[in-house]
Amino acid sequence: MSLKLHWFLPTYGDSRFIVGGGHGLPAGTAGGDRDASIGYLSAVSRAAEDFGFTAALTPAGAWCEDAWLTTAMVARETERLGFLVAFRPGLVSPTLAAQMAATFSRHAPGRLLLNVVTGGEPAEQRAYGDQLDKTARYERTDEFLTIVRDLWQGDTVTFRGRHLSVDGAHLARVPDPVPPIYFGGSSPAAGPVAARHSDVYLTWGEAPDAVAAKIAWIRGLAAEHGRSVRFGIRLHVITRDTAEQAWAEAGRLLDALDDDVVAGVQNGLARSESTGQAAMRALHEGHRSDGSWRDPRALEVVPNLWAGVGLVRGGAGTALVGSHREVADLIERYATLGISEFVLSGYPHLEELYWFGEGVVPELERRGLFDSGAAGGRPKHRTGQPFLAAR
C-alpha cells in the first residue's frame, strides 16, 4: 500500500499558536499573526511538493480567503502539487462550477481535486444568500453533483430538480482528467450523497473504532450503488524526535489559550448543526467543565490522538501527537482500517511540515506505506533538525 499525503493551506493566516476559526467563527479567534500571502502559501506548497505530498487542502468560508482564486495563483508558483479546493454547492451554479474546474484543469492539468462542503452554519449560509436548511442542502448537493458529473462527461444537460434546474448546459472543454470528488459528512443525510458521488470520503480524526464504523457505513451504502469509495482522514500533527518534546509542544499551545476565548469559541460551536462538529466537541467536553484541559495528556482520546486543537478551532479538532515513530504507528493503524489518504496540518504550517517531512515521511517509507518519489517529491532536508523549526 502507498498512502497519499496532503497538507493544508492556511488561507486565514498562520501562527506559532493555534489559529481559531471555521464553522461560523471568525478567523483569528485565537492566534493568527502570520499573513496568508501568496508568497507564504507558495512556500508551504513548495515544501509539501518537495516531500512528495499529493495536494494541499484549501478551505472555504467567510473565515478565509477564496479557495479558487488563491489556489489558481499558488499553482503558478509550484510545479506538481495538486490543490484540494473546498467549495460549497449552491453558491455558484453547477454549470459554472463545472466550467471553473475545467478551466483550472486546463491550465494545471491533473492538479485539481475538489472537496465538496455541503454547507457551513446557517448564519454563514444566509450571509451568502443561501436560505436552505441542512436537509435541503444535502438534497441540493446531490442534484448539483449529478449535473456536474454529466457535464464533465461531455453531455448536454437538461435537468429539473427540487432545488436546481438547467437547460441545455454544455461545456466547450471537459476536464482531463476529471477531478476526483472528496466529500465529508457524518449526518444520516450525508451518507447516501457520499455513496453516490464521492471518490474519496473524508472524516475528521476520531478514534480508530469510530473511524472504522464510519468506513463500514459509507462502504455499505456505496456497494448498494455498485460503487467503491476510497477513504481519507483530516488531522493536525505535532511530531518531534521524542514523545516528551511533542507533548511539551502540545502543552505550549494550550498555555497560550485564554479561558474566556475557549469558552466563547465553544459557545459558538455548540450552536453548530454539524454532526461531525458535535463529535469533535464531545472529545474534550468533560475536560472543559472541570478545567483539566490545561493538562495536554487529559485531552488524549486514544494514545497519540489529541483533542486540544478543537478547543478554539471549528472543524478538524484532533492532532497526532508523539515521536515520529508513534505518529507513524497511528497512521499505520488508520491505514489498516482502510484509510488511504491523510490530510494533515500543524502550527505553524511551514515548520510543522518540515518536522513531519523529515521525521515521519522516512519512517513511513521504511514501512512501505509511502513513496515520496511517486508524487515527484524531491526531499531536501531529510535528517537532523528541521531547518526552521529550531528557531
mmCIF file of all heavy atoms in Angstrom, residues 64-94:
data_model
loop_
_atom_site.group_PDB
_atom_site.id
_atom_site.type_symbol
_atom_site.label_atom_id
_atom_site.label_comp_id
_atom_site.label_asym_id
_atom_site.label_seq_id
_atom_site.Cartn_x
_atom_site.Cartn_y
_atom_site.Cartn_z
ATOM 1 N N CYS A 64 -11.945 32.730 5.684
ATOM 2 C CA CYS A 64 -10.678 32.574 4.970
ATOM 3 C C CYS A 64 -10.795 33.205 3.585
ATOM 4 O O CYS A 64 -11.864 33.646 3.168
ATOM 5 C CB CYS A 64 -10.300 31.100 4.865
ATOM 6 S SG CYS A 64 -11.589 30.066 4.123
ATOM 7 N N GLU A 65 -9.672 33.241 2.878
ATOM 8 C CA GLU A 65 -9.683 33.769 1.516
ATOM 9 C C GLU A 65 -10.366 32.775 0.573
ATOM 10 O O GLU A 65 -10.483 31.583 0.865
ATOM 11 C CB GLU A 65 -8.242 34.024 1.050
ATOM 12 C CG GLU A 65 -7.455 34.984 1.918
ATOM 13 C CD GLU A 65 -7.914 36.416 1.794
ATOM 14 O OE1 GLU A 65 -8.789 36.695 0.936
ATOM 15 O OE2 GLU A 65 -7.431 37.263 2.561
ATOM 16 N N ASP A 66 -10.789 33.265 -0.570
ATOM 17 C CA ASP A 66 -11.450 32.397 -1.546
ATOM 18 C C ASP A 66 -10.493 31.312 -2.045
ATOM 19 O O ASP A 66 -9.351 31.604 -2.440
ATOM 20 C CB ASP A 66 -11.940 33.224 -2.736
ATOM 21 C CG ASP A 66 -12.584 32.354 -3.790
ATOM 22 O OD1 ASP A 66 -13.719 31.902 -3.575
ATOM 23 O OD2 ASP A 66 -11.926 32.108 -4.827
ATOM 24 N N ALA A 67 -10.955 30.080 -2.022
ATOM 25 C CA ALA A 67 -10.090 28.951 -2.346
ATOM 26 C C ALA A 67 -9.724 28.893 -3.827
ATOM 27 O O ALA A 67 -8.579 28.583 -4.186
ATOM 28 C CB ALA A 67 -10.762 27.641 -1.926
ATOM 29 N N TRP A 68 -10.688 29.167 -4.718
ATOM 30 C CA TRP A 68 -10.415 29.077 -6.152
ATOM 31 C C TRP A 68 -9.352 30.092 -6.577
ATOM 32 O O TRP A 68 -8.379 29.751 -7.264
ATOM 33 C CB TRP A 68 -11.688 29.324 -6.950
ATOM 34 C CG TRP A 68 -12.667 28.195 -6.947
ATOM 35 C CD1 TRP A 68 -13.788 28.085 -6.176
ATOM 36 C CD2 TRP A 68 -12.622 27.009 -7.748
ATOM 37 N NE1 TRP A 68 -14.445 26.911 -6.458
ATOM 38 C CE2 TRP A 68 -13.749 26.231 -7.423
ATOM 39 C CE3 TRP A 68 -11.732 26.534 -8.716
ATOM 40 C CZ2 TRP A 68 -14.019 25.008 -8.023
ATOM 41 C CZ3 TRP A 68 -12.001 25.306 -9.322
ATOM 42 C CH2 TRP A 68 -13.130 24.558 -8.973
ATOM 43 N N LEU A 69 -9.546 31.337 -6.190
ATOM 44 C CA LEU A 69 -8.610 32.376 -6.612
ATOM 45 C C LEU A 69 -7.226 32.156 -6.008
ATOM 46 O O LEU A 69 -6.200 32.316 -6.683
ATOM 47 C CB LEU A 69 -9.145 33.754 -6.210
ATOM 48 C CG LEU A 69 -10.412 34.214 -6.929
ATOM 49 C CD1 LEU A 69 -10.911 35.520 -6.339
ATOM 50 C CD2 LEU A 69 -10.156 34.380 -8.422
ATOM 51 N N THR A 70 -7.195 31.791 -4.733
ATOM 52 C CA THR A 70 -5.908 31.595 -4.073
ATOM 53 C C THR A 70 -5.116 30.462 -4.706
ATOM 54 O O THR A 70 -3.929 30.611 -5.025
ATOM 55 C CB THR A 70 -6.120 31.317 -2.577
ATOM 56 O OG1 THR A 70 -6.818 32.411 -1.982
ATOM 57 C CG2 THR A 70 -4.786 31.143 -1.871
ATOM 58 N N THR A 71 -5.760 29.315 -4.897
ATOM 59 C CA THR A 71 -5.020 28.184 -5.447
ATOM 60 C C THR A 71 -4.615 28.415 -6.897
ATOM 61 O O THR A 71 -3.569 27.926 -7.338
ATOM 62 C CB THR A 71 -5.838 26.887 -5.331
ATOM 63 O OG1 THR A 71 -7.129 27.078 -5.924
ATOM 64 C CG2 THR A 71 -6.007 26.489 -3.888
ATOM 65 N N ALA A 72 -5.408 29.157 -7.655
ATOM 66 C CA ALA A 72 -5.029 29.464 -9.033
ATOM 67 C C ALA A 72 -3.722 30.251 -9.065
ATOM 68 O O ALA A 72 -2.866 30.031 -9.939
ATOM 69 C CB ALA A 72 -6.134 30.241 -9.731
ATOM 70 N N MET A 73 -3.545 31.153 -8.101
ATOM 71 C CA MET A 73 -2.306 31.925 -8.050
ATOM 72 C C MET A 73 -1.142 31.098 -7.516
ATOM 73 O O MET A 73 -0.032 31.157 -8.039
ATOM 74 C CB MET A 73 -2.519 33.183 -7.211
ATOM 75 C CG MET A 73 -3.376 34.233 -7.906
ATOM 76 S SD MET A 73 -3.525 35.785 -7.000
ATOM 77 C CE MET A 73 -4.886 35.375 -5.906
ATOM 78 N N VAL A 74 -1.397 30.288 -6.485
ATOM 79 C CA VAL A 74 -0.324 29.469 -5.917
ATOM 80 C C VAL A 74 0.121 28.388 -6.907
ATOM 81 O O VAL A 74 1.297 28.013 -6.949
ATOM 82 C CB VAL A 74 -0.765 28.854 -4.575
ATOM 83 C CG1 VAL A 74 0.294 27.897 -4.033
ATOM 84 C CG2 VAL A 74 -1.046 29.957 -3.555
ATOM 85 N N ALA A 75 -0.795 27.903 -7.725
ATOM 86 C CA ALA A 75 -0.440 26.879 -8.712
ATOM 87 C C ALA A 75 0.651 27.366 -9.654
ATOM 88 O O ALA A 75 1.476 26.571 -10.125
ATOM 89 C CB ALA A 75 -1.680 26.455 -9.504
ATOM 90 N N ARG A 76 0.659 28.662 -9.926
ATOM 91 C CA ARG A 76 1.676 29.236 -10.811
ATOM 92 C C ARG A 76 3.058 29.238 -10.159
ATOM 93 O O ARG A 76 4.072 29.372 -10.848
ATOM 94 C CB ARG A 76 1.284 30.661 -11.193
ATOM 95 C CG ARG A 76 -0.003 30.772 -11.998
ATOM 96 C CD ARG A 76 0.222 30.416 -13.439
ATOM 97 N NE ARG A 76 1.047 31.399 -14.129
ATOM 98 C CZ ARG A 76 1.494 31.268 -15.372
ATOM 99 N NH1 ARG A 76 1.195 30.186 -16.066
ATOM 100 N NH2 ARG A 76 2.228 32.207 -15.934
ATOM 101 N N GLU A 77 3.091 29.122 -8.838
ATOM 102 C CA GLU A 77 4.354 29.171 -8.104
ATOM 103 C C GLU A 77 4.865 27.779 -7.753
ATOM 104 O O GLU A 77 5.883 27.657 -7.080
ATOM 105 C CB GLU A 77 4.167 29.990 -6.814
ATOM 106 C CG GLU A 77 3.620 31.394 -7.037
ATOM 107 C CD GLU A 77 4.532 32.241 -7.900
ATOM 108 O OE1 GLU A 77 5.766 32.141 -7.730
ATOM 109 O OE2 GLU A 77 4.005 32.980 -8.759
ATOM 110 N N THR A 78 4.177 26.757 -8.202
ATOM 111 C CA THR A 78 4.563 25.377 -7.925
ATOM 112 C C THR A 78 4.604 24.595 -9.233
ATOM 113 O O THR A 78 4.181 25.086 -10.277
ATOM 114 C CB THR A 78 3.556 24.725 -6.943
ATOM 115 O OG1 THR A 78 2.224 24.900 -7.456
ATOM 116 C CG2 THR A 78 3.646 25.360 -5.562
ATOM 117 N N GLU A 79 5.092 23.362 -9.148
ATOM 118 C CA GLU A 79 5.276 22.560 -10.365
ATOM 119 C C GLU A 79 4.337 21.380 -10.463
ATOM 120 O O GLU A 79 3.788 21.109 -11.535
ATOM 121 C CB GLU A 79 6.724 22.052 -10.428
ATOM 122 C CG GLU A 79 7.771 23.150 -10.512
ATOM 123 C CD GLU A 79 9.180 22.592 -10.460
ATOM 124 O OE1 GLU A 79 9.329 21.344 -10.463
ATOM 125 O OE2 GLU A 79 10.133 23.391 -10.386
ATOM 126 N N ARG A 80 4.144 20.652 -9.345
ATOM 127 C CA ARG A 80 3.431 19.384 -9.419
ATOM 128 C C ARG A 80 2.298 19.260 -8.411
ATOM 129 O O ARG A 80 1.386 18.472 -8.602
ATOM 130 C CB ARG A 80 4.400 18.211 -9.165
ATOM 131 C CG ARG A 80 5.568 18.132 -10.113
ATOM 132 C CD ARG A 80 6.571 17.078 -9.667
ATOM 133 N NE ARG A 80 7.008 17.293 -8.292
ATOM 134 C CZ ARG A 80 7.957 18.152 -7.935
ATOM 135 N NH1 ARG A 80 8.562 18.895 -8.856
ATOM 136 N NH2 ARG A 80 8.298 18.303 -6.677
ATOM 137 N N LEU A 81 2.370 19.995 -7.335
ATOM 138 C CA LEU A 81 1.414 19.818 -6.240
ATOM 139 C C LEU A 81 -0.010 20.051 -6.716
ATOM 140 O O LEU A 81 -0.291 21.016 -7.434
ATOM 141 C CB LEU A 81 1.739 20.787 -5.104
ATOM 142 C CG LEU A 81 0.941 20.568 -3.813
ATOM 143 C CD1 LEU A 81 1.425 19.311 -3.099
ATOM 144 C CD2 LEU A 81 1.069 21.781 -2.891
ATOM 145 N N GLY A 82 -0.911 19.175 -6.303
ATOM 146 C CA GLY A 82 -2.321 19.371 -6.574
ATOM 147 C C GLY A 82 -2.962 20.245 -5.509
ATOM 148 O O GLY A 82 -2.375 20.506 -4.452
ATOM 149 N N PHE A 83 -4.188 20.685 -5.774
ATOM 150 C CA PHE A 83 -4.904 21.527 -4.828
ATOM 151 C C PHE A 83 -6.296 20.953 -4.603
ATOM 152 O O PHE A 83 -7.076 20.808 -5.547
ATOM 153 C CB PHE A 83 -4.963 22.969 -5.333
ATOM 154 C CG PHE A 83 -3.599 23.596 -5.407
ATOM 155 C CD1 PHE A 83 -2.882 23.577 -6.595
ATOM 156 C CD2 PHE A 83 -3.017 24.135 -4.273
ATOM 157 C CE1 PHE A 83 -1.610 24.107 -6.659
ATOM 158 C CE2 PHE A 83 -1.738 24.673 -4.322
ATOM 159 C CZ PHE A 83 -1.035 24.661 -5.514
ATOM 160 N N LEU A 84 -6.557 20.606 -3.349
ATOM 161 C CA LEU A 84 -7.840 20.067 -2.938
ATOM 162 C C LEU A 84 -8.709 21.262 -2.549
ATOM 163 O O LEU A 84 -8.692 21.733 -1.410
ATOM 164 C CB LEU A 84 -7.651 19.090 -1.779
ATOM 165 C CG LEU A 84 -8.873 18.404 -1.180
ATOM 166 C CD1 LEU A 84 -9.760 17.789 -2.235
ATOM 167 C CD2 LEU A 84 -8.436 17.364 -0.154
ATOM 168 N N VAL A 85 -9.448 21.773 -3.514
ATOM 169 C CA VAL A 85 -10.179 23.031 -3.369
ATOM 170 C C VAL A 85 -11.545 22.766 -2.749
ATOM 171 O O VAL A 85 -12.376 22.056 -3.320
ATOM 172 C CB VAL A 85 -10.337 23.721 -4.739
ATOM 173 C CG1 VAL A 85 -11.161 24.995 -4.611
ATOM 174 C CG2 VAL A 85 -8.961 24.033 -5.330
ATOM 175 N N ALA A 86 -11.767 23.353 -1.578
ATOM 176 C CA ALA A 86 -13.079 23.236 -0.942
ATOM 177 C C ALA A 86 -14.050 24.232 -1.573
ATOM 178 O O ALA A 86 -13.699 25.381 -1.820
ATOM 179 C CB ALA A 86 -12.960 23.499 0.556
ATOM 180 N N PHE A 87 -15.258 23.762 -1.852
ATOM 181 C CA PHE A 87 -16.267 24.666 -2.390
ATOM 182 C C PHE A 87 -17.652 24.206 -1.940
ATOM 183 O O PHE A 87 -17.851 23.043 -1.578
ATOM 184 C CB PHE A 87 -16.209 24.745 -3.922
ATOM 185 C CG PHE A 87 -16.779 23.551 -4.628
ATOM 186 C CD1 PHE A 87 -18.043 23.590 -5.183
ATOM 187 C CD2 PHE A 87 -16.048 22.375 -4.724
ATOM 188 C CE1 PHE A 87 -18.570 22.489 -5.837
ATOM 189 C CE2 PHE A 87 -16.569 21.264 -5.374
ATOM 190 C CZ PHE A 87 -17.832 21.324 -5.927
ATOM 191 N N ARG A 88 -18.598 25.149 -1.963
ATOM 192 C CA ARG A 88 -19.940 24.891 -1.464
ATOM 193 C C ARG A 88 -20.945 24.880 -2.605
ATOM 194 O O ARG A 88 -21.193 25.923 -3.218
ATOM 195 C CB ARG A 88 -20.326 25.955 -0.433
ATOM 196 C CG ARG A 88 -19.468 25.893 0.819
ATOM 197 C CD ARG A 88 -19.858 26.958 1.813
ATOM 198 N NE ARG A 88 -19.076 26.827 3.030
ATOM 199 C CZ ARG A 88 -19.164 27.640 4.066
ATOM 200 N NH1 ARG A 88 -20.020 28.658 4.030
ATOM 201 N NH2 ARG A 88 -18.429 27.459 5.133
ATOM 202 N N PRO A 89 -21.535 23.738 -2.912
ATOM 203 C CA PRO A 89 -22.576 23.692 -3.938
ATOM 204 C C PRO A 89 -23.724 24.628 -3.568
ATOM 205 O O PRO A 89 -24.120 24.721 -2.413
ATOM 206 C CB PRO A 89 -23.031 22.228 -3.908
ATOM 207 C CG PRO A 89 -21.875 21.486 -3.342
ATOM 208 C CD PRO A 89 -21.255 22.410 -2.340
ATOM 209 N N GLY A 90 -24.231 25.301 -4.557
ATOM 210 C CA GLY A 90 -25.351 26.187 -4.321
ATOM 211 C C GLY A 90 -24.981 27.649 -4.280
ATOM 212 O O GLY A 90 -25.819 28.515 -4.503
ATOM 213 N N LEU A 91 -23.700 27.946 -3.992
ATOM 214 C CA LEU A 91 -23.270 29.335 -4.010
ATOM 215 C C LEU A 91 -22.910 29.782 -5.420
ATOM 216 O O LEU A 91 -22.846 30.980 -5.698
ATOM 217 C CB LEU A 91 -22.087 29.541 -3.063
ATOM 218 C CG LEU A 91 -22.365 29.218 -1.589
ATOM 219 C CD1 LEU A 91 -21.195 29.662 -0.727
ATOM 220 C CD2 LEU A 91 -23.662 29.856 -1.105
ATOM 221 N N VAL A 92 -22.635 28.821 -6.300
ATOM 222 C CA VAL A 92 -22.498 29.102 -7.731
ATOM 223 C C VAL A 92 -23.312 28.044 -8.468
ATOM 224 O O VAL A 92 -23.624 26.986 -7.916
ATOM 225 C CB VAL A 92 -21.024 29.062 -8.209
ATOM 226 C CG1 VAL A 92 -20.216 30.138 -7.525
ATOM 227 C CG2 VAL A 92 -20.405 27.697 -7.971
ATOM 228 N N SER A 93 -23.639 28.304 -9.710
ATOM 229 C CA SER A 93 -24.416 27.335 -10.476
ATOM 230 C C SER A 93 -23.568 26.104 -10.774
ATOM 231 O O SER A 93 -22.334 26.198 -10.874
ATOM 232 C CB SER A 93 -24.895 27.964 -11.784
ATOM 233 O OG SER A 93 -23.861 27.957 -12.747
ATOM 234 N N PRO A 94 -24.184 24.939 -10.922
ATOM 235 C CA PRO A 94 -23.401 23.745 -11.253
ATOM 236 C C PRO A 94 -22.691 23.865 -12.594
ATOM 237 O O PRO A 94 -21.571 23.355 -12.751
ATOM 238 C CB PRO A 94 -24.444 22.621 -11.262
ATOM 239 C CG PRO A 94 -25.763 23.305 -11.416
ATOM 240 C CD PRO A 94 -25.614 24.634 -10.751
#
